[in-house]
Amino acid sequence: MSDIAGVGMADRPKEPNARLRVVRENELQRSRQEFAKLIVKTGDDMGETVACTARLVAAWEDGDVQLPRAVYRRILTRLTGRTMQELGFRLSTSASPAVPAATANAEEEPVNRRGFMADSAGAVLSLIPLPSPRDGASPGRIGAVNVRALETAVTKIYAHDHDHGSAAMRRNASDALHTAYSWLQEGTYTDKTGRRLRSASGHLSIAAGWISYDSGRPADARSLYNEALAAARIAADPGLEAHAFGCLSLLAKASGRPREAISAAQAAQNVADSYGSPRMLSLFAMREAGGWALLGDTRATDRAIIRAHKLYANGPREADPHWLEFYHPGELAGLEALARADLAQHERAAAGAEQAVLLHGDQFARNRALYTADVAIQHAVRERPEPEAAAEVAGRVLAYLPQVRSDRLLQQLHNVSSALQRHASVPAVADWLEEYRTIAGVS
């Protein structure tokens, strides 16, 4: 997201990066200031515009940032001839190869978050009222009522997620998906009902994948999105197929794979081109913009953003799917702000994120919290930092806890903390850091 925030960082004990420091001091024989200038020069030679400073180099070496943004990874590789691992950086756990959801590591969620993000399945049991399949019992005849039950489950998942995050619903969504699979595999139904059932199961798989993504389980999410993609192709459902590709694009970007994000977003647009929903195409164009931004291509990012705005301006259509309701002007502004941040356009990113929060109004609490956190980060890392303003905005983010339970929100709060750490001597920042550590239970 930003120079300081890093990529996919977990709440781990601070661990200095001795390897990078050895390369800087012994091989390149540069001070931190000189090294930062060399990074800027190397970036210019590569056509990359960055604003590296000695403080950012210090953040890398001191372990405040475990993995630099993509643009710095490219520059450091060119400058030193080494991979990120060889330079002592920790690769994001979200970039690991996908594994089936059933075999995903149960310890994937950081242990020191577990108490704060504890599953509260009992509080939402009634939100997904699907019967659990009984051992050895056949589901029997499957009809329209079963399909509607799956569609209702998906609607309720998204409604709860928008305001409260996904943490409490992961177990329930998994049970609902297990029920849907049992209906598909063991039930009896007509061909028409079978296609509808498979599509509904695919949409439920995407909803469950979103919950996994929001809960910090990218391997589970990838597996579930791929299951939805397979279901879409079997059921000949272009809307579901486009949605699955769009989700895979989002996941690829979050995992630091920009080219995969671009390809998946373009595939989503190709599938959705004849679907009749300009706003769905707009969302996928914005997903493509996010990939280009992470790749550091400003021109391609701008083209995709302009296309997304033009498509959005065509207005709503009857074909717009229900899940697309989150994509309103606030989200459009917010996604553009994220792209601007990845391009190190911090002033534009801060303004866009502030607009996103304003346009969200009282809806979509989790997304409001995420964009508010991004405003704080951009204030902290811009060319002329505003630490007091960053601390004030960051205080608003803490107010969303614990109503909103989202691993992504906790990750973003950690990113805010990392960005503000350099300004810890400012009283307002020091107060916020102390409050954050107390509320989130981190050291």
Side-chain angles (χ1 to χ4, degrees):
M1 283 295 304
S2 62
D3 296 352
I4 292 296
V7 179
M9 292 183 298
D11 291 330
R12 298 175 177 174
K14 181 175 172 180
E15 186 174 307
N17 186 339
R19 292 185 189 178
L20 180 64
R21 185 168 185 171
V22 167
V23 170
R24 174 179 64 80
E25 292 181 341
N26 296 350
E27 295 188 17
L28 299 177
Q29 298 183 350
R30 303 292 177 105
S31 67
R32 285 177 172 172
Q33 182 65 39
E34 291 169 336
F35 187 51
K37 290 182 178 179
L38 184 58
I39 288 172
V40 172
K41 181 180 183 303
T42 303
D44 287 341
D45 293 342
M46 296 170 60
E48 307 270 20
T49 302
V50 294
C52 189
T53 64
R55 288 186 296 181
L56 178 57
V57 175
W60 292 341
E61 293 184 350
D62 294 344
D64 293 325
V65 174
Q66 296 171 9
L67 188 65
R69 289 194 303 114
V71 63
Y72 286 112
R73 298 202 295 271
R74 293 192 294 272
I75 293 173
L76 287 169
T77 297
R78 170 74 70 85
L79 177 60
T80 66
R82 288 175 167 82
T83 65
M84 290 301 98
Q85 297 102 312
E86 291 170 339
L87 287 175
F89 291 109
R90 296 181 184 177
L91 290 185
S92 168
T93 56
S94 63
S96 59
V99 296
T103 60
N105 186 353
E107 297 301 315
E108 187 174 350
E109 189 174 80
V111 174
N112 62 345
R113 295 179 176 185
R114 192 159 292 161
F116 190 78
M117 293 283 290
D119 280 350
S120 299
V124 292
L125 277 172
S126 62
L127 290 177
I128 312 178
L130 288 179
S132 298
R134 293 170 295 175
D135 292 338
S138 172
R141 186 75 177 177
I142 304 300
V145 65
N146 302 89
V147 175
R148 285 195 296 270
L150 293 182
E151 293 169 346
T152 299
V154 172
T155 299
K156 289 189 174 182
I157 286 173
Y158 287 134
H160 187 275
D161 169 76
H162 290 325
D163 291 329
H164 303 289
S166 300
M169 302 193 71
R170 190 172 64 244
R171 189 174 304 162
N172 296 115
S174 178
D175 290 343
L177 197 56
H178 182 54
T179 296
Y181 288 160
S182 75
W183 289 348
L184 275 169
Q185 295 168 9
E186 301 169 19
T188 57
Y189 40 78
T190 64
D191 288 344
K192 180 180 179 180
T193 297
R195 287 192 297 273
R196 290 187 60 201
L197 183 64
R198 194 169 294 280
S199 289
S201 298
H203 284 292
L204 181 57
S205 186
I206 284 181
W210 173 259
I211 288 174
S212 294
Y213 168 66
D214 194 50
S215 300
R217 298 172 181 266
D220 287 5
R222 187 178 182 86
S223 177
L224 288 162
Y225 291 155
N226 279 318
E227 288 178 10
L229 187 60
R233 289 173 172 172
I234 294 172
D237 185 339
L240 175 60
E241 183 176 359
H243 193 186
F245 271 127
C247 290
L248 286 168
S249 175
L250 173 66
L251 186 61
K253 179 182 181 294
S255 300
R257 300 190 297 270
R259 294 191 185 279
E260 182 181 330
I262 294 166
S263 296
Q266 290 173 342
Q269 292 171 76
N270 289 336
V271 174
D273 190 49
S274 60
Y275 191 77
S277 173
R279 289 200 167 170
M280 185 159 64
L281 282 170
S282 171
L283 173 62
F284 299 148
M286 198 60 84
R287 293 270 187 258
E288 181 184 343
W292 287 119
L294 192 61
L295 198 61
D297 191 327
T298 302
R299 289 184 180 179
T301 302
D302 286 341
R303 285 196 297 268
I305 288 174
I306 291 171
R307 188 166 71 253
H309 279 278
K310 287 182 177 179
L311 285 164
Y312 193 91
N314 287 330
R317 294 287 190 275
E318 288 293 327
D320 293 345
H322 182 270
W323 60 263
L324 196 63
E325 68 173 359
F326 83 97
Y327 189 57
H328 58 87
E331 191 66 18
L332 181 68
L335 292 177
E336 179 176 350
L338 296 180
R340 298 300 177 194
D342 279 330
L343 291 172
Q345 298 174 357
H346 299 301
E347 284 74 15
R348 293 185 70 178
E354 288 171 344
Q355 183 185 24
V357 174
L358 180 65
L359 291 175
H360 270 84
D362 295 329
Q363 295 180 303
F364 308 106
R366 192 265 321 286
N367 286 10
R368 291 203 319 270
L370 288 170
Y371 289 129
T372 302
D374 199 61
V375 174
I377 291 173
Q378 303 312 317
H379 279 316
V381 302
R382 63 202 313 170
E383 186 174 350
R384 294 182 178 178
E386 299 178 356
E388 291 88 355
E392 188 276 326
V393 176
R396 285 187 254 149
V397 183
L398 291 178
Y400 286 94
L401 303 176
Q403 176 190 4
V404 176
R405 287 172 297 176
S406 163
D407 190 85
R408 285 191 302 142
L409 179 55
L410 291 184
Q411 288 279 11
Q412 190 73 321
L413 276 167
H414 179 80
N415 293 344
V416 173
S417 174
S418 296
L420 286 175
Q421 197 65 49
R422 65 172 75 177
H423 307 296
S425 60
V426 178
V429 172
D431 290 344
W432 183 87
L433 289 170
E434 180 61 30
E435 184 179 8
Y436 161 66
R437 294 184 185 112
T438 300
I439 292 177
V442 298
S443 57

